[in-house]
Amino acid sequence: MKTELTTDAAYAGAIIRRGGLVAFATETVYGLGADAFNEVAVANIFTAKKRPADNPLIAHISRIEQIDSLASAITNAAAKLIDAFFPGPLTVILPKKDTVPAVATAGLNSIGIRMPRLGLTELFLTAAATPVVAPSANLSGRPSPTTWQAVLEDLDGRIDCILQGPPCIIGLESTVVDCTGEVPVLLRKGCITAGELRKIVPDIVADSGSSPLTPKSPGLKHKHYSPRAKVIVVKGSADDPEPNSALIGLTETKGAFEHKLICRNVEEYAHSLFEFYRECDRLGIDTIYCESIDDTADIGAALMDRIERAAKR
Ligand code: TXA
Ligand code: MG
C-alpha cells in the first residue's frame, strides 16, 4: 500500500468516509484514525499498528452531539468534565452504545471519547462526518509520535494517508477518566492534572492499580512509551554516564553524552520526550538518562509517569 501525504483536511476526511486509515495531528500526539462504525476499517488499525486486540480505542469527535451516537448514558461527572475540558486533552470513558462495533472497544462495554483542540483536526473530523476511533499512530510498543515524520517512520506502507500537521504542542497522551461508575477514576495522567479535574469533580479517585490481569485501562499493561534504549531516571545532573548514552532534562551537565537535550521548562521537556527517544534510537544510543523533576504540579506528574513506565520495562 502506498501511504499518501497531504495537508488537505477535507481530502483526508474523505479517505475515512470510504473506509481508509488516516494518521492525523492532535494537541497531544498523532492518532491513527478510522470510521468508528466501519468494523473492517477499525480492525485494520490493529493490523497496521500490530496492536494487541485487547486494547480499546478512543473515539474522536468534532461536535458534542456526536457523544449521543457513541455513549448510552452520560453520567453527571462526565457532563461536568465535558463542559469544562472539551475540546482539550481529556478522554472520558462512558458506557457504550450497542451500535458501536465491539472491535473498537476490544469487547468492553465502555468507550473512551475525546474532542481534540486543534483547528486542523476539527476540519478533518468534520470532513470525516463520523466519530473517528484512533490510538496513537505508532507501531505498538514504540513511543507515541509527536510529528508526522515519526508516523511515517513507523507506518509507511501500512496506512492510506498521513494528514501532515504541526508537531504536537503537548507531546504526551490525553488524561483518561473512567466515568462509567459512581465515582470517576483517573486512569491515565496527562496535561489536565488531577488537581484541575477535582476543581470540577471533587471526588475523582486515582486508579488504585487494579489487578495486572484485568487493568481498567488495558493499554497501561502493554509495553508502552518506551525507546529501544534502556531508560534510567536520575536526580539532578548526571555527570558520569555509561558509554554511548544520551541525556534529557532541565539541568546542564559536564558528562560525556553522545546526545543531549536541556529543556527550558517542564512543558518543553514533556513535548520533547518521545521525539528525543526516537532520535536516540535512530542514533543507536544504548542508555537514555532522564532527569527526574520535582515539580509535579502541572504536566510534571504525567511526564514522570511516562518516564517511570519506560524505566521499569
Ligand atoms: O491523546 C490521546 O489520547 C491520543 C490521541 C491520538 O488522541 N490517543 C491515545 O490512544 O493515546 P492510545 O490508544 O494510544 O491510548 C488509549 C488509552 C489506552 O491505555 C487504552 O487502554 C485506554 O486509553 N482506553 C481506551 N478505551 C478505554 C475504555 N473503554 N476503558 C478503559 N480504558 C480505555
Ligand atoms: Mg498508544
Side-chain angles (χ1 to χ4, degrees):
M1 169 190 303
K2 180 158 171 29
T3 300
E4 278 186 272
L5 301 179
T6 184
T7 54
D8 182 344
Y11 182 79
I15 294 177
I16 294 288
R17 285 207 304 278
R18 53 166 209 265
L21 299 188
V22 177
F24 59 98
T26 78
E27 75 277 41
T28 57
V29 300
Y30 273 72
L32 175 61
D35 176 352
F37 295 103
N38 182 330
E39 230 165 308
V40 174
V42 175
N44 286 339
I45 291 179
F46 289 82
T47 312
K49 282 196 54 142
K50 304 185 182 165
R51 181 176 176 98
D54 65 350
N55 197 358
L57 308 179
I58 294 171
H60 297 70
I61 57 171
S62 56
R63 288 179 301 113
I64 294 289
E65 304 81 71
Q66 287 175 306
I67 296 173
D68 292 335
S69 66
L70 300 163
S72 60
I74 302 180
T75 54
N76 272 340
K80 286 185 192 153
L81 293 174
I82 288 165
D83 196 43
F85 298 111
F86 278 27
L90 176 71
T91 297
V92 166
I93 313 266
L94 286 169
K96 117 175 168 40
K97 274 215 164 128
D98 293 342
T99 41
V100 179
V103 61
T105 61
L108 296 180
N109 54 15
S110 61
I111 182 153
I113 302 175
R114 125 167 169 81
M115 183 189 266
R117 190 183 59 215
L118 186 73
L120 182 71
T121 323
E122 191 189 338
L123 288 174
F124 162 67
L125 293 173
T126 302
T130 178
V132 169
V133 284
S136 50
N138 49 288
L139 277 176
S140 200
R142 301 216 63 209
S144 296
T146 55
T147 65
W148 66 261
Q149 291 91 339
V151 178
L152 191 66
E153 181 175 64
D154 276 16
L155 299 178
D156 191 15
R158 306 181 65 84
I159 62 175
D160 296 290
C161 179
I162 299 175
L163 175 59
Q164 298 165 288
C168 302
I169 297 169
I170 296 172
L172 300 180
E173 304 84 352
S174 62
T175 306
V176 178
V177 181
D178 182 353
C179 294
T180 57
E182 244 165 58
V183 179
V185 183
L186 173 59
L187 295 182
R188 181 171 73 181
K189 292 177 182 171
C191 176
I192 295 176
T193 63
E196 285 170 314
L197 294 168
R198 289 198 183 107
K199 275 188 201 148
I200 307 297
V201 177
D203 60 346
I204 290 184
V205 297
D207 192 7
S208 54
S210 38
S211 148
L213 294 175
T214 53
K216 286 240 192 57
S217 190
L220 298 179
K221 83 175 192 291
H222 295 289
K223 183 174 149 238
H224 221 121
Y225 314 119
S226 312
R228 278 187 283 267
K230 178 171 73 172
V231 172
I232 296 181
V233 186
V234 284
K235 281 246 168 238
S237 81
D239 294 326
D240 190 20
E242 291 176 20
N244 197 28
S245 292
L247 171 77
I248 182 166
L250 300 174
T251 312
E252 194 41 86
T253 172
K254 294 195 180 68
F257 290 96
E258 297 299 319
H259 184 48
K260 76 177 172 185
L261 182 63
I262 307 300
C263 307
R264 278 165 301 185
N265 51 46
V266 179
E267 285 70 29
E268 185 183 328
Y269 190 173
H271 92 113
S272 308
L273 181 73
F274 289 152
E275 185 51 32
F276 186 80
Y277 283 169
R278 283 175 176 269
E279 184 60 17
C280 288
D281 283 345
R282 285 176 209 123
L283 294 169
I285 296 287
D286 291 318
T287 309
I288 302 172
Y289 291 79
C290 294
E291 183 182 341
S292 156
I293 51 155
D294 299 328
D295 177 13
T296 52
D298 296 316
I299 200 170
L303 173 62
M304 287 316 297
D305 169 72
R306 301 305 189 278
I307 291 173
E308 275 152 15
R309 281 175 200 282
K312 243 189 251 155
R313 188 161 60 102

